[in-house]
Amino acid sequence: MGAGLRSTAMAPFKKVLVANRGEIAIRVFRACRDLDIQTVAVYSEADRDAAFLDYADESYLLGPTPPAESYLNQQRLLDVAKKAGAEAIHPGYGFLSENPTFAKAVVDAGLVWIGPPPEAVVAMGDKVSARKVAHEAGVASVPGTDKPIASYTEIAEFAKEHGWPVAIKAAHGGGGRGFRVVREESEAESGFEAAGREAMLAFGNADAYIERYLEEPRHVEIQVMADSSGNVIHLGERDCSLQRRHQKLVEESPSPAVDDAVRAAMGEAAVKVAVAASYVSAGTVEFLLEQTDDGPKFWFLEMNTRLQVEHPVTEAVTGLDLAKEMILVASGEQLSLSQSDVQLRGHAIELRINAENPAKNFMPNPGTITAYSEPGGPGVRVDSAVREGSEIPQSYDSLIAKLICFGRDRPEAIARTRRALSEFVIEGPATTIPFHALVLESEWFRTGDFSTKTVERDLDLKDLKQPESRHRPEAKRDAKANELLVEVDGKRMAVRVVEEGARKRPKPPEQKRAGGHSGAGENLIAPMQGVIVKTLVTQGSDVKAGDGIVVLEAMKMENMISCHRDGVVKELKVAAGDPVQLGATLAIIE
């Protein structure tokens, strides 16, 4: 058949459970609906009123808010799938999407895993194992260890051979979690401990490996797609170089740093890796691209055995529905196109709009969205799972929405993205919108002159202001529909009660934004809600403004809370493991 065309007269599955939340759950629900497949949503107590539940045919409560008791509860997910009569499970991204134990448990339960085989997840989900697979396929990796390190002392030993700095990376995850850069031996112990803590929190495994840290690379990745008949193709590249804390902020396809020859070479290398791993489904092979005296050189970084957050830019330039392809391939169908059918057209840019304050080192800023309006128009797509009144909980990822814009070429894509971003209204939490506006206005972005270091090394964001409120009072209505949500045997149901007469919706309470002053007089104040993972000082310690006082985890990321003044620690109000609220006093500095 032609590219992107296939018969879907019969649904590949009757019912699919999506083991995830937020915008990726909606993305998969929509793909299922296009295929006439019924859908099952799952949710935690924190997500009882979440917008993504409205897009599924039925919804079931998993458990309490902590991911370990809900979205990471493997047995509970399997029990719900059985109760709901689901035939297959799609994991989305994050949570259990790259967990081979869960993938195998799904298969062993007689269900279909909409993703790569558990064996491929084992081979490529563990970064150390993935490096071995790439080596066997003839694809070079950045120099590093071939097994997880057991102690921070191994970092200095590695550096003696390869030099400083050294990167510590979680062996069982990605997205910047469990990643630390160690520039000298004195930082090795603290970096090793912090990477392990964050990896355990995000992935349930603290294993880490080390590799030579490249100072000025670009992050370029290749989307691959494979079926169970042995057909493997690549769908071009995405440039994901603009990052903070090694988490992506802007993605685009094609990359402004990649020409046809490099694209072909990287695509061929990615296919080799996928073939060597006996890979099936959608996956992404990530590379670091260096400009050397001998021309561009790329190194295998890792393989993400799932659908990526940034997959929409590939969809835009290829015309394919990757979520739909995953479902069809999982049902046993062959790919709908061959490599020769793949044609990249135009240019696409994705902005990740997060609940973070760029002026405060992208500090997470959970809270209630008090006003929300999405942009539209030609070439504009928004993937989100929020609405006015939605809560961005501190227990999960900070992503609010993804803005994807397409143009005939890169200048038109940039222009459309600027226009769409100017129309995007999100009020309540601080967001990354001001950062994205700065990027789109920058000459260095228009010329494509940036790397993975640009955001944190070259940009001064401390004066970035959040947009002024554009919220307009809601018009009165003749009737208001109230939905009462009830749970019967764990299944979510809605009961609607209609009130006659005009009623004005109560205005949500004003949200105090994280990222204000971190201190008030002698008090060091918590700039966000979270959990203390480590204290760095004791009572009586001499401190200076900027010194680290505690490490606070919020939205799956560790955040250093620094002192706001010179002085002495009169009292430390918190200890490791303590939950804290926005505005709580962490320490008294006199």
Side-chain angles (χ1 to χ4, degrees), residues 531-551:
V531 176
I532 302 296
V533 296
K534 188 177 184 181
T535 58
L536 305 174
V537 297
T538 59
Q539 184 174 328
S541 297
D542 292 322
V543 293
K544 294 185 179 297
D547 287 351
I549 303 298
V550 299
V551 178

Side-chain angles (χ1 to χ4, degrees), residues 15-18 20-22 25-26 29 33 38-44 47-63 71 76-77 80-81 83-85 387 483 485-494:
K15 188 180 289 189
V16 168
L17 181 146
V18 179
N20 219 297
R21 64 183 299 277
I26 293 177
F29 294 152
R33 182 162 293 182
Q38 290 187 308
T39 54
V40 180
V42 290
Y43 62 98
S44 70
D47 280 336
R48 273 197 164 102
D49 297 322
F52 75 90
L53 301 177
D54 296 341
Y55 290 78
D57 293 299
E58 51 190 294
S59 305
Y60 291 83
L61 176 67
L62 281 176
Y71 297 107
R76 178 61 180 153
L77 284 162
V80 169
K83 178 190 292 186
R387 57 197 171 202
E483 272 197 348
L485 300 178
V486 298
E487 287 161 6
V488 179
D489 192 25
K491 183 175 182 179
R492 182 177 184 264
M493 299 180 181

Side-chain angles (χ1 to χ4, degrees), residues 29 51 82 93 112 117 150 162 205 282 308 345 354 486 505 538:
F29 294 152
K82 182 178 180 180
Y93 56 71
V112 175
H162 298 284
N205 190 307
Q308 291 279 86
R345 295 184 176 91
N354 299 321
V486 298
R505 294 183 65 183
T538 59

Side-chain angles (χ1 to χ4, degrees), residues 55-202:
Y55 290 78
D57 293 299
E58 51 190 294
S59 305
Y60 291 83
L61 176 67
L62 281 176
T65 298
E69 300 177 51
S70 51
Y71 297 107
L72 294 175
N73 188 331
Q74 298 183 31
Q75 188 56 54
R76 178 61 180 153
L77 284 162
L78 293 173
D79 291 344
V80 169
K82 182 178 180 180
K83 178 190 292 186
E87 295 175 282
I89 292 181
H90 193 302
Y93 56 71
F95 292 130
L96 294 168
S97 62
E98 295 182 282
N99 186 305
T101 302
F102 183 57
K104 186 175 186 303
V106 170
V107 175
D108 290 346
L111 303 172
V112 175
W113 172 252
I114 302 179
E119 298 78 14
V121 179
V122 170
M124 305 311 294
D126 179 324
K127 292 183 175 62
V128 176
S129 173
R131 292 166 62 90
K132 293 179 181 178
V133 173
H135 177 73
E136 292 169 0
V139 178
S141 300
V142 178
T145 56
D146 59 3
K147 61 182 178 179
I149 61 173
S151 167
Y152 73 90
T153 58
E154 295 181 47
I155 298 172
E157 295 171 6
F158 179 85
K160 287 178 183 178
E161 179 180 355
H162 298 284
W164 298 100
V166 174
I168 307 173
K169 294 187 174 184
H172 297 277
R177 272 91 179 189
F179 184 105
R180 289 294 184 277
V181 177
V182 178
R183 296 190 174 277
E184 57 186 41
E185 188 170 355
S186 63
E187 300 175 353
E189 183 174 8
S190 61
F192 178 72
E193 291 177 354
R197 280 196 310 270
E198 199 166 271
M200 177 61 74
L201 177 71

Side-chain angles (χ1 to χ4, degrees), residues 338-524:
S338 63
Q339 190 64 61
S340 61
D341 294 321
V342 178
Q343 296 184 37
L344 306 183
R345 295 184 176 91
H347 198 95
I349 297 172
E350 174 179 297
L351 309 181
R352 297 195 194 187
I353 312 298
N354 299 321
E356 298 173 357
N357 192 332
K360 298 296 181 182
N361 195 29
F362 293 94
M363 187 169 288
N365 193 201
T368 302
I369 293 178
T370 57
Y372 183 80
S373 178
E374 294 179 352
V380 175
R381 166 180 168 182
V382 178
D383 283 13
S384 73
V386 301
R387 57 197 171 202
E388 185 175 320
S390 289
E391 184 75 17
I392 307 299
Q394 70 94 17
S395 300
Y396 308 127
D397 190 86
S398 61
L399 183 67
I400 296 175
K402 302 184 312 197
L403 173 61
I404 306 102
C405 297
F406 175 80
R408 290 169 297 180
D409 51 28
R410 192 167 186 266
E412 182 173 79
I414 292 175
R416 280 186 170 161
T417 309
R418 289 175 59 192
R419 185 261 299 167
L421 191 68
S422 71
E423 297 175 3
F424 213 148
V425 177
I426 305 175
E427 296 180 13
T431 76
T432 50
I433 285 179
F435 163 79
H436 290 301
L438 180 150
V439 168
L440 294 170
E441 294 289 343
S442 301
E443 180 65 20
W444 55 262
F445 182 73
R446 287 196 291 269
T447 59
D449 182 19
F450 52 87
S451 73
T452 58
K453 306 302 185 298
T454 298
V455 174
E456 294 176 323
R457 185 193 63 196
D458 299 339
L459 303 187
D460 183 359
L461 306 176
K462 67 178 183 299
D463 294 326
L464 275 185
K465 302 290 191 246
Q466 292 294 310
E468 293 294 325
S469 174
R470 290 187 278 176
H471 179 65
R472 294 181 176 87
E474 192 171 305
K476 292 185 177 181
R477 304 173 182 175
D478 291 333
K480 177 186 174 185
N482 291 325
E483 272 197 348
L484 303 179
L485 300 178
V486 298
E487 287 161 6
V488 179
D489 192 25
K491 183 175 182 179
R492 182 177 184 264
M493 299 180 181
V495 178
R496 179 163 292 181
V497 180
V498 177
E499 276 184 71
E500 295 300 328
R503 288 279 303 276
K504 181 181 287 187
R505 294 183 65 183
K507 186 177 180 180
E510 183 177 353
Q511 296 295 304
K512 183 176 180 181
R513 286 181 176 147
H517 294 295
S518 59
E522 295 183 343
N523 295 338
L524 176 67

